[in-house]
Amino acid sequence: AYFALQVIYARRKYKISPPETRGHPEFERIFRAQANCSEYFPIFISLLWVAGIFFHQGVAAACGLLYLYTRFKYFQGYAAAAQGRLGPMYASARLLWLLLGLAIAGLLAHFLLS
């Protein structure tokens, strides 16, 4: 919701009415950052859910909080400059891979050790 609100505020600030997605470069970066975060959210939620159920809730929750923080930093970095997104983007990708590993480990343990 925070990211969507930032797009709304940027639309007002730069006078860009929906459905336009072009305009001031800062608006375009904010809009793209929000779209990128929205695109990865279903993957994140799915991995978080499976890792939490089949591996460990606490570990999955910690990874989830770190992921949300890195996405927040990604959004802030991208809004300031396109290069500002790179560090947090790589960190969030590593956390998604970690959640995937936890989910697979949990599923394997559940189905192979049962």
Side-chain angles (χ1 to χ4, degrees), residues 44-93:
F44 163 67
I45 288 293
S46 300
L47 291 174
L48 181 68
W49 179 67
V50 174
I53 290 175
F54 291 101
F55 189 79
H56 189 274
Q57 290 178 0
V59 175
C63 289
L65 288 173
L66 284 171
Y67 177 82
L68 292 174
Y69 176 74
T70 58
R71 273 301 176 173
F72 176 71
K73 296 305 282 181
Y74 168 86
F75 187 89
Q76 286 183 326
Y78 204 167
Q83 291 299 320
R85 77 190 195 285
L86 295 177
M89 180 180 70
Y90 295 137
S92 65

